Amino acid sequence: MTIKPLADRVVLKSVAAEETTKSGIILTTAAQEKPQMAEVIAVGPGGIVDGNEVKMYVKVGDKVITSKYSGTEVKLDGEEYSIVRQADILATIE
């Protein structure tokens, strides 16, 4: 199956969370922060959202930074994805 986002939504796959601190302490899964860096997997078409025209600025393959607790978590075929609005993406990484 594939996920096809609608309107101004973007499907992201998180980059792996840090498992150790800078000083070398190993973190449990519960202690790890949600990663803010992700890769764009799919992009919606944009269009008219809430009466305003939305142009999509990200594309598949882009590495992005998102708001810390934004989006909806989805698990599909054993993989975890996050679906966010383009406005929840703070920056692209080059």
Side-chain angles (χ1 to χ4, degrees):
M1 272 193 265
T2 59
I3 300 174
K4 184 176 178 182
L6 302 175
D8 66 334
R9 290 185 173 76
V10 179
V11 177
L12 304 174
K13 184 174 183 181
S14 294
V15 176
E18 292 293 326
E19 296 180 7
T20 59
T21 64
K22 290 181 181 180
S23 60
I25 297 172
I26 298 173
L27 299 172
T28 64
T29 304
Q32 295 173 6
E33 289 189 23
K34 179 181 175 189
Q36 291 177 266
M37 294 174 55
E39 180 179 357
V40 177
I41 302 299
V43 179
I48 305 296
V49 177
D50 297 330
N52 299 315
E53 185 172 352
V54 175
K55 179 181 177 193
M56 301 306 284
Y57 294 101
V58 295
K59 61 187 180 308
V60 174
D62 282 353
K63 301 273 193 273
V64 297
I65 298 174
T66 62
S67 298
K68 194 162 200 131
Y69 296 104
S70 62
T72 301
E73 301 294 323
V74 176
K75 192 169 186 175
L76 182 67
D77 295 334
E79 295 285 335
E80 291 188 18
Y81 301 98
S82 180
I83 301 174
V84 301
R85 287 187 175 270
Q86 181 175 251
D88 292 332
I89 296 174
L90 305 176
T92 58
I93 301 170
E94 296 181 357

